[in-house]
Amino acid sequence: MTPLPVQALDIAAAVVLVTAWVSLLHRRIEALVDTYAIQSAAVALTAGLVAYEYRAPDLYLLAGLTVAVNVVALPGLLRRVVRVLGVPRMVNMYASVRESALIGLALLLLSVWVVGPIAPFAEIPSAGLLPIAVAVVLIGFFLLVSRRKAVTQVVGLLVMNNGVFLAGIALTYGLGLLVELGLAANLLVLAIVARIFLQRMKESFDHVDADALRALEG
Amino acid sequence: MSGSFLAPALALVGEYLLVLGLSPLLLAVLRRVKARTQGRIGPPLLQPYRDLWKWMGKDGIYASSASWITRYAPAISFAALLAAVPLVPWFVLPTPLGPFGDLILLVGLLGLSRFVIALAALDGGSTFGGMGSSREMWMGALAEPVFLLVIFAFGSPAGSTQAGAIAARGVALGIAYANPPLLLAIVAYVLLLLVETGRLPVDNPATHLELTMVHEAMVLEYTGRDLALIEWGRGFKLAIMFGLLIALAAPWGISTSGTLLLVGLAVGIVVGKLLGAHVLVGRLEARVAKWRLFRVADLLTLAAVFAFGSLALAYVIGGGA
């Protein structure tokens, strides 16, 4: 019998994979962002479960950080970008939904085929998550390259980020290094989002003064 | 238990009473939940029974151009669905009829019921009937392979396509039955269920708008007893699909011993789960709008992808380990 938290870990990782696939289906940016928030919550859950099961208290910090940044702050910011700056709400894509879904499946099969035989050698119970994590990274990458809008591309990058997190959590149980890397990755993404935010503001209003946004109300 | 023959027979009768008797009520609960979520009061819970009673008392009326197909189709469709009921483990394991048929047979029976109604819709010669059956068969042709794939996804860890065997493995494993491949298979099944039973994002069962109706377009010509058979069959097809989901996804609570108390408890549990599933779909229906017809293919592609992914993951981490 596998211990219960490890099983819950598997399920949470599967939720991450499911949401990665579902994100390929969406045609509206808001729905995509919502799906990303759910996925991040599942990633935070895996971090919390690993922290509990393998007594790695610094991972609680990572879980908390993931909730604060990836579940609350970033989706909020993205929704704001879409709403305030009037980015058209449809997701423009180079591949249709059906093609995307099938390519997503192909990416899972690829990672199962390539990573699956390696995973058992890691000799840790949660190594079975590795194919899922790699698949999520690949799907995020596909989302990144197959969508036209900058905001959607950011979501693709964030999905990749979640996949990397998942792999790191599953394999290393959160070394201090991972926490730092996670922080750095989050900051990077935050910076990109802020950049788009400012760039669009500049294009739309010819300035980046946030106070002036209030003048547009009413 | 006393007789080796008597107990399964009683269980079988119990299953039919449960499914046939309760499915109109479950449908009414679904409608009520949907209405309440949308701020309406909704029809009373006994309304489907009243409708069925009213229709039962009336003769069918047939178009002069209709042949025997129109007359017999509702009965054949209803009988096919009736035959599918014991294939699903409802509250006792092993299933009362034992290994008399598996889920592939269930897919075939649902397909037969669909095919006969589509044929009858063409038989009447009305435009709507042709349109409805064209749409229905298009969806069916896409849904059936996906249904088989989903069944294989559920069945591969148990090494069987018997719903009874799959559920028995789930009950024996307890909570350890839940794993990533199962989760993927459940998502695939739920997507498929919406298509197979014609619920809202795919087909709106409450509308008679020409442009959008699928199932309603096919049964437009029917009235009286025939309509009662079709509507009743449709209600318990929903119950069958939910019952199968419950048996495959969360079989805990199905009684494996023969004591009367435990079986009674299992009946209570399965009714509770069915009720919960109908409430969930009612809430979902209140929230989503009907999709464009050709997006159904997207939905089914995704279901196929999930089912196939479930099989792939089961190969790596699931069943074998």
Side-chain angles (χ1 to χ4, degrees), chain B residues 228-301:
Chain B
L229 281 184
I230 288 172
E231 289 296 319
W232 199 0
R234 199 180 180 194
F236 79 77
K237 182 179 176 186
L238 193 63
I240 288 175
M241 291 298 285
F242 277 128
L244 189 60
L245 174 65
I246 289 162
L248 296 181
W252 311 293
I254 297 179
S255 170
T256 45
S257 72
T259 57
L260 214 54
L261 182 71
L262 281 177
V263 171
L265 195 66
V267 172
I269 290 173
V270 82
V271 169
K273 285 179 186 168
L274 278 172
L275 213 57
H278 280 75
V279 167
L280 277 181
V281 167
R283 295 203 74 99
L284 176 77
E285 283 214 324
R287 290 195 46 172
V288 298
K290 189 184 175 299
W291 283 5
R292 271 193 305 122
L293 185 65
F294 289 109
R295 279 197 78 185
V296 172
D298 291 353
L299 203 66
L300 285 171
T301 310

Side-chain angles (χ1 to χ4, degrees), chain A residues 172-189:
Chain A
T172 65
Y173 300 156
L175 301 173
L177 182 67
L178 179 73
V179 178
E180 283 175 9
L181 281 179
L183 267 174
N186 270 327
L187 285 178
L188 175 74
V189 170

